[in-house]
Amino acid sequence: LVANALNLIIAQRLVRVLCESCRKAVKPTPAQNMKMGTSVGGVPTIYVPTGCKRCLRTGYIGRRALFELLEFTNAMRDVVVKAPTIQGIRDIANQGLFMTLQAHGYQLVSQGVTSMDEVDRVGGSE
């Protein structure tokens, strides 16, 4: 019954936004680029918090949402009703426009909106 009732599943978390006045550009390490993976590719610069009077020495001002959206298609319903395995659900999800919280967070990191540490803290592990 649940599989027929679902249309969309959404998860969201808030990440802190880097202060534009004091964020510091750094070159990402190979490990960081590998961690960000194919969601953003190799980026030349990421930003880290430093702290100033404007942000009360925290390095962050405000928050922004990370979203994970899973559309419950007929193919997904078939997997859930017939043979509900985690791998089967992942395979169907990867065929669509599904993006994890971490992948969305890493896009924000590549845009200079937030830091790697913040995405790792909030996005958790996959």
Side-chain angles (χ1 to χ4, degrees), residues 98-115:
F98 180 71
M99 181 182 289
T100 65
L101 287 170
Q102 276 190 326
H104 185 218
Y106 292 147
Q107 280 186 345
L108 295 179
V109 169
S110 71
Q111 296 167 4
V113 174
T114 192
S115 67

Side-chain angles (χ1 to χ4, degrees), residues 3-126:
N4 290 326
L6 284 176
N7 291 322
L8 193 67
I9 299 172
I10 188 168
Q12 66 182 20
R13 302 285 186 281
L14 293 176
V15 291
R16 296 178 292 174
V17 175
L18 287 167
C19 176
E20 298 249 347
S21 299
C22 66
R23 68 182 184 177
K24 179 181 171 190
V26 296
K27 184 176 184 202
T29 65
Q32 287 173 322
N33 265 331
M34 185 183 299
K35 196 173 196 180
M36 287 193 283
T38 58
S39 63
V40 295
V43 292
T45 304
I46 61 172
Y47 293 89
V48 295
T50 56
C52 66
K53 278 187 174 182
R54 182 171 180 248
C55 62
L56 302 174
R57 307 250 183 263
T58 62
Y60 298 96
I61 289 185
R63 298 198 182 251
R64 179 142 177 206
L66 296 182
F67 293 103
E68 183 174 275
L69 187 72
L70 176 63
E71 185 179 5
F72 225 74
T73 62
N74 287 332
M76 183 71 74
R77 282 186 185 85
D78 288 344
V79 168
V80 169
V81 170
K82 292 178 184 170
T85 63
I86 296 296
Q87 189 58 45
I89 292 171
R90 280 190 182 137
D91 292 342
I92 297 297
N94 290 334
Q95 291 174 5
L97 299 174
F98 180 71
M99 181 182 289
T100 65
L101 287 170
Q102 276 190 326
H104 185 218
Y106 292 147
Q107 280 186 345
L108 295 179
V109 169
S110 71
Q111 296 167 4
V113 174
T114 192
S115 67
M116 285 284 293
D117 291 339
E118 184 67 4
V119 171
D120 292 341
R121 182 184 72 84
V122 174
S125 61
E126 292 181 9

